[in-house]
Amino acid sequence: MKKWIIPIVLIVLLLFWGTSVNNTAVDLQEATKSEWADVESSYQRRNDLIGNLVKTVQGAADFEKGTLTAVIEARAKATSINIDPTNITQEQLAKFNEVQGGLSGALKSLLVTVERYPELKANQNFLELQSQLEGTENRINVARDRFNDVVKPYNQYVRKVPTKLIASLMGFKEMGYFEAEDGSDKAPDVDFDFE
């Protein structure tokens, strides 16, 4: 009877430890999913504002259709990418970032082109939308930073030995970080010469 006590105690301890590893990994994963939802919410806010911005610009100016079309198409692409927050990979984030970057570029073109229309620049609705977009871009940046902040402890936890052994058995995988687009380290070239 005594020879079975030690193996049973070891098995019970391993079960408690495995449960603890699983529960901690679940808590950390839920935190990353919650932060990812905040990132998506910020992007959704921007997408909602873009529709209002386009309508305001259309109504206030005889505008270049190509620029508006580019914004509308970029918005459609940006809303077509969905990421499963339980399985975020670097490749998924790169694709998401690529389409969001296309939308950001189209918006920059729109705002630069708008500079040609003094009556639009003075329109209170347009000024408010422009301010809201700026605030939204800041929110997006904060949400992405917070997401990366919660991915780090999750990744550390599921990658360190000995928890890695249990975490991998339970299906917990390393998550990708949100990274800047290629070329975003260079300042944009804004040109207001419309001749």
Side-chain angles (χ1 to χ4, degrees), residues 12-85:
V12 168
L13 288 175
L14 281 173
L15 285 173
F16 279 121
W17 176 67
T19 301
S20 174
V21 168
N22 181 70
N23 291 344
T24 301
V26 166
D27 290 343
L28 292 170
Q29 186 182 59
E30 286 302 312
T32 60
K33 288 172 21 179
S34 173
E35 287 300 328
W36 180 251
D38 290 346
V39 169
E40 288 183 327
S41 175
S42 295
Y43 278 113
Q44 184 60 51
R45 183 176 194 276
R46 178 174 73 170
N47 288 333
D48 294 344
L49 284 170
I50 289 169
N52 292 330
L53 178 66
V54 167
K55 287 176 189 169
T56 301
V57 170
Q58 281 175 326
D62 180 19
F63 204 67
E64 296 177 17
K65 281 191 169 186
T67 304
L68 285 175
T69 302
V71 170
I72 292 166
E73 288 173 359
R75 179 181 178 225
K77 283 182 186 174
T79 58
S80 70
I81 300 291
N82 292 314
I83 293 180
D84 175 9

Side-chain angles (χ1 to χ4, degrees), residues 59 147 187:
F147 171 74

Side-chain angles (χ1 to χ4, degrees), residues 16 57 91 103 116 127 134 139:
F16 279 121
V57 170
E91 293 78 25
L103 181 55
R116 294 185 198 176
L127 293 174
E134 181 181 336
R139 285 181 184 191

